[in-house]
Amino acid sequence: MSLNQKVGSIDWSPIIRSMELQENCHLPAYPGDLKDILLNHAGLAQHPQGEKAYQLAREIARLTTFSDPEITYWFSRITELM
């Protein structure tokens, strides 16, 4: 993400700041349901393409770290195009 963690008109920093290091893991994780918070934060919870955007972000992230911060990054980039 960019330094200000804002992509398009959405500020993703509240979600990023909520992520915490988990035991036995070197990357932070969101403490709740990442999918729900991302869809709601982007206003896509009821959007027919919201679920697809989230799944695509997970698939892209799976190629590297498959971490919550990376899923959030890719989701933010995909939703910017929507």
Side-chain angles (χ1 to χ4, degrees):
M1 285 227 166
S2 63
L3 291 176
N4 66 4
Q5 298 176 344
K6 185 173 183 180
V7 178
S9 63
I10 301 174
D11 181 8
W12 299 94
S13 60
I15 295 171
I16 300 296
R17 283 194 309 265
S18 297
M19 293 185 187
E20 307 165 344
L21 287 176
Q22 303 295 314
E23 190 174 318
N24 299 326
C25 186
H26 64 283
L27 295 169
Y30 187 76
D33 188 333
L34 182 62
K35 178 177 132 181
D36 283 348
I37 194 69
L38 289 176
L39 290 172
N40 285 322
H41 192 74
L44 297 174
Q46 303 302 317
H47 191 283
Q49 300 299 316
E51 173 73 24
K52 289 181 182 180
Y54 177 77
Q55 292 305 323
L56 181 58
R58 285 179 50 90
E59 289 299 317
I60 295 169
R62 187 170 287 149
L63 298 172
T64 56
T65 64
F66 197 49
S67 65
D68 287 355
E70 188 172 7
I71 293 168
T72 302
Y73 170 80
W74 288 113
F75 184 80
S76 73
R77 304 308 297 181
I78 292 166
T79 58
E80 181 182 24
L81 298 173
M82 296 174 71

